[in-house]
Amino acid sequence: MLIGYARTSTLEQKAGLEAQRESLTAIGCERLWEEQTSSVGLRDALRAALDYAREGDTIVVTKLDRLARSVRHLGEIVEELEAKNVGLRILNLGLDTTNATGKLMLNLLGSVAQFEREMMLERQREGIRKAKQEGKYRGRKPTARLKVQEAQRLLAQGMTKRDIAKEIGVSERSVYRILE
């Protein structure tokens, strides 16, 4: 059975969700789970689709970013699917893990993505190191510490720490930290 999963990040992306739904039904998905939530939020429909899938089924998504939020997350999903002998198809990549070539391509894509991420972090660290040597890098400006007096004044006026955080534009945790 082909099991479709569609997701958009926001409720405003109705057209995107509709396009995914059309693509998934056009290729023959018999069951379809969809949701409108951030990739980092709880994804109940994805969990339901993964739980529903049985041996021999295939989960189908239109694009990789609709399924996984990171290479690590993709690996976890693929591992779960492989344990159940469930395939994965990603339409825009023409990728199908029900065959050897698809499995190879998924592993290659995952490896390349991880390599790119590591190279980017390495370049970032090198740039920061060089900027520090040249005296151009000082890190992020300590915004909460600059507002200590204002936070103390508001606290003395009887405001709650939560309200102080909203008033001065910092996190509630930062208010606790600067008032300790």
Side-chain angles (χ1 to χ4, degrees):
M1 173 186 287
L2 295 179
I3 300 167
Y5 173 71
R7 181 188 64 81
T8 59
S9 297
T10 64
L11 296 173
E12 291 80 34
Q13 297 175 316
K14 287 181 172 62
L17 192 62
E18 181 61 35
Q20 290 178 63
R21 186 183 305 124
E22 288 173 9
S23 295
L24 294 169
T25 54
I27 63 147
C29 288
E30 298 173 50
R31 292 290 311 258
L32 184 64
W33 274 267
E34 56 187 62
E35 59 193 336
Q36 293 180 293
T37 184
S38 166
S39 67
V40 296
L42 289 175
R43 298 199 289 163
D44 296 329
L46 175 59
R47 180 76 268 150
L50 295 173
D51 289 344
Y52 180 82
R54 302 290 178 254
E55 184 174 342
D57 290 347
T58 300
I59 299 282
V60 184
V61 294
T62 57
K63 293 170 58 177
L64 185 57
D65 66 343
R66 301 297 88 201
L67 177 67
R69 60 181 155 253
S70 65
V71 174
R72 180 185 210 181
H73 186 228
L74 175 62
E76 292 167 359
I77 291 170
V78 168
E79 191 174 295
E80 180 178 346
L81 294 176
E82 285 178 348
K84 295 170 73 171
N85 199 23
V86 172
L88 173 64
R89 281 177 65 185
I90 304 166
L91 299 180
N92 77 326
L93 297 175
L95 197 113
D96 184 349
T97 65
T98 60
N99 62 55
T101 304
K103 287 179 183 175
L104 172 66
M105 291 305 296
L106 184 63
N107 285 321
L108 284 174
L109 287 172
S111 296
V112 168
Q114 184 173 345
F115 174 74
E116 285 179 354
R117 173 93 176 123
E118 289 171 6
M119 293 301 296
M120 184 272 302
L121 291 172
E122 190 175 304
R123 288 189 302 270
Q124 182 182 36
R125 283 190 297 270
E126 178 61 28
I128 290 170
R129 186 190 60 74
K130 184 177 178 186
K132 282 181 178 180
Q133 285 177 341
E134 296 172 1
K136 296 178 182 177
Y137 181 85
R138 292 176 184 82
R140 186 176 63 83
K141 191 175 183 178
T143 54
R145 287 190 198 137
L146 297 175
K147 300 179 180 187
V148 171
Q149 290 178 342
E150 187 177 359
Q152 289 172 336
R153 181 181 55 80
L154 294 171
L155 185 65
Q157 291 175 0
M159 278 185 105
T160 67
K161 291 178 180 172
R162 175 171 287 161
D163 289 338
I164 293 170
K166 289 177 187 173
E167 178 73 25
I168 66 175
V170 299
S171 73
E172 193 173 340
R173 180 68 200 124
S174 291
V175 171
Y176 278 91
R177 193 177 309 112
I178 64 174
L179 293 175
E180 285 178 348

